Amino acid sequence: AQRVTQPEKLLSVFKGAPVELKCNYSYSGSPELFWYVQYSRQRLQLLLRHISRESIKGFTADLNKGETSFHLKKPFAQEEDSAMYYCALSRAGGTSYGKLTFGQGTILTVHP
Amino acid sequence: GAVVSQHPSRVICKSGTSVKIECRSLDFQATTMFWYRQFPKKSLMLMATSNEGSKATYEQGVEKDKFLINHASLTLSTLTVTSAHPEDSSFYICSASGGTSGTFEQFFGPGTRLTVL
């Protein structure tokens, strides 16, 4: 069975500092990895997905199959980045296609 | 992005009663809807997957007779918590997806807070 681990429940940085939210996964097949973000009093929304290889709001994430990691990074954190971040994995095919397995979430706080 | 609504946003009910939660995709046709449960400061746990016009697929450990899911149209799925008990109190979130091939995005509803007294 697949599993997603976010080792840090809480992460605090100062504005302008680099930030890295860790995500490790276990899955025997070829996964699709996502980062979702939930701002205060808002619904969960997609931040980025690994296949797009894009940068959203300054965040990037690279899938490292050797280390089974998909860490989220931003070189200069902003106060508006404060939120709950979830790493999620989806199977790439089969009957479970599209189902998401979420990590435990990391609360990021960016101090002024 | 696409919009998904949930109704009600919060509900309080007595133990033993049933509660229905609606999930609607407002501006797209959702071929698949997912129901999650979220405990305080914890992750989202997938409860079931529903495809329009067919029976829902429940995750291991989720009682299908307890959590009835209906996906009668491409824009509406309902979750009914039957004979609710205090341990069913939780935050229930739905998501909807309209992709037919490749990677497709799930759009999440705002969630429903259920409190069973």
Side-chain angles (χ1 to χ4, degrees):
Chain A
Q2 62 270 28
R3 180 184 290 181
V4 178
T5 303
Q6 293 178 248
E8 302 140 329
K9 198 166 187 175
L10 301 170
L11 185 61
S12 290
V13 299
F14 285 99
K15 176 183 173 181
V19 62
E20 180 178 67
L21 290 83
K22 291 184 167 49
C23 172
N24 289 92
Y25 68 90
S26 63
Y27 177 56
S28 56
S30 292
E32 293 180 12
L33 276 298
F34 306 83
W35 276 100
Y36 282 83
V37 60
Q38 188 170 28
Y39 299 102
S40 178
R41 294 189 177 83
Q42 294 188 26
R43 67 188 68 194
L44 203 63
Q45 58 185 286
L46 179 66
L47 180 62
L48 53 80
R49 67 191 84 182
H50 90 268
I51 63 166
S52 300
R53 303 185 67 81
E54 56 197 348
S55 173
I56 302 294
K57 298 183 178 182
F59 284 98
T60 59
D62 291 318
L63 179 61
N64 186 322
K65 291 187 177 181
E67 296 182 358
T68 60
S69 68
F70 188 56
H71 302 327
L72 182 68
K73 301 176 184 179
K74 185 169 182 176
F76 307 103
Q78 303 298 315
E79 289 179 67
E80 55 265 29
D81 296 328
S82 297
M84 170 75 96
Y85 291 81
Y86 291 99
C87 182
L89 176 153
S90 174
R91 289 182 175 183
T95 56
S96 297
Y97 183 64
K99 291 185 182 180
L100 290 172
T101 298
F102 284 88
Q104 300 92 321
T106 298
I107 299 173
L108 173 65
T109 303
V110 182
H111 299 284
Chain B
V3 180
V4 175
S5 69
Q6 279 184 244
H7 178 80
S9 58
R10 59 178 63 225
V11 57
I12 301 173
C13 69
K14 291 182 179 179
S15 186
T17 61
S18 294
V19 174
K20 180 185 284 187
I21 302 170
E22 292 185 348
C23 177
R24 293 182 185 271
S25 56
L26 299 184
D27 51 3
F28 69 103
Q29 293 186 326
T31 52
T32 306
M33 286 184 168
F34 303 86
W35 286 95
Y36 297 85
R37 184 170 176 177
Q38 185 177 36
F39 295 95
K41 299 191 189 314
K42 296 259 175 107
S43 184
L44 283 79
M45 181 192 78
L46 179 65
M47 298 174 66
T49 304
S50 73
N51 292 293
E52 185 266 337
S54 59
K55 286 185 179 179
T57 304
Y58 291 82
E59 296 299 300
Q60 192 173 9
V62 178
E63 299 175 61
K64 60 181 181 181
D65 294 330
K66 172 79 171 175
F67 300 99
L68 301 179
I69 291 171
N70 183 278
H71 192 164
S73 76
L74 285 171
T75 60
L76 174 65
S77 176
T78 60
L79 167 67
T80 301
V81 182
T82 63
S83 186
H85 287 94
E87 58 264 30
D88 299 325
S89 298
S90 193
F91 196 57
Y92 293 87
I93 302 173
C94 75
S95 71
S97 173
T100 56
S101 64
T103 300
F104 54 91
E105 183 176 348
Q106 288 186 30
F107 298 95
F108 286 81
T112 296
R113 172 78 57 196
L114 170 63
T115 302
V116 185
L117 302 176

